[in-house]
Amino acid sequence: MKFLSIQSSVAYGHVGNSAAVFPLQRLGHEVWPVNTVHFSNHTGYGAWRGPMLPADDVREVITGIGERDEFANIDAVLSGYQGGSDIADVILEAVDKVKAENPSATYTCDPVMGNAKSGCFVSDLIPPLLRDRVVPKADIITPNQFELGYLTDTQPTDLDSTLASVDAAMQMGPKTVLVTSVERPDRPEGTIEMLAADETGAWIIQTPFLPLKANGSGDVTAALFTAHYRSTGSAAEALKNTTSSVFDLLQLTLDSGERELQLIAAQDAYANPRDQFEVTRVR
């Protein structure tokens, strides 16, 4: 498959396109990264250098790809962290142009806003923009539990309320929802879950909780889930393969003692995901 990935990039470390591109390539897919920022490192360090690219410059890069007559060959568009509010227009324009030439193409939006521990860490303009304009145009969304609650004006906590929030998200437009970092109060201690749903059902998967802050892991997750879902047509299979790959990436990173994702060292986990966690149908 061929992916158009419109995301941030960093020189040092792995977030945005610097996290999503290589795992997709390791699976054998073609990826055309379009960068929205090019920072020295991710913003979690509290200091960084480099430019946030003007929306018109990002648009020009995408226009150039179109001038190669390649929009018809794009199978999926990906977007993640949006540094400025004007990037949304560029992304949505790109989605419209790709789908006009390839109606079977899909758009995956990772609606990056924040998390339950840190709260919202993007500009105040971004969350309502994602909720009102971007998410309704997406085919697949990959929010964490906190972001899902904001998008749907709900409070997902236990399984039933999380499924209700997923239903509310699907009513906004997306046909498929992957919820990361699901933390049900009744789950076994020391575990964490992900949940995937589409029109055929909903499935949950549980792994051990690994004690590390892994910037970029959500970008890897969104990319891998999209690739597996598009390849297999099965949300359950995509959930299982994605979870296995990301868990092994995080375990390797934890064992390394490094702050940045060990993205390259974990490459076999993307190409050959292990059958190590059980997927449970919950609807």
Side-chain angles (χ1 to χ4, degrees), residues 159-171 174-177 179 195-204 235-236 279-283:
L159 180 59
D160 287 343
S161 61
T162 300
L163 287 170
S165 297
V166 166
D167 288 340
M170 293 172 75
Q171 290 171 8
K175 299 178 179 63
T176 305
V177 179
V179 188
L195 183 149
D198 62 11
E199 66 272 12
T200 68
W203 296 264
I204 200 164
V279 176
T280 301
R281 189 178 188 116
V282 291
R283 186 167 65 195

Side-chain angles (χ1 to χ4, degrees), residues 14 249 252-254 256-267 270:
H14 300 289
L249 167 63
L252 188 62
T253 301
L254 180 64
S256 74
E258 298 287 340
R259 176 170 180 174
E260 294 291 339
L261 290 177
Q262 298 301 290
L263 193 78
I264 309 304
Q267 60 183 286
Y270 323 135

Side-chain angles (χ1 to χ4, degrees), residues 214-262:
N215 297 87
S217 59
D219 304 314
V220 176
T221 300
L224 289 178
F225 181 81
T226 301
H228 288 304
Y229 187 66
R230 290 300 312 273
S231 296
T232 67
S234 166
E237 189 72 14
L239 178 64
K240 183 170 79 169
N241 289 337
T242 300
T243 300
S244 177
S245 297
V246 173
F247 179 83
D248 283 350
L249 167 63
L250 295 179
Q251 183 68 69
L252 188 62
T253 301
L254 180 64
D255 292 345
S256 74
E258 298 287 340
R259 176 170 180 174
E260 294 291 339
L261 290 177
Q262 298 301 290

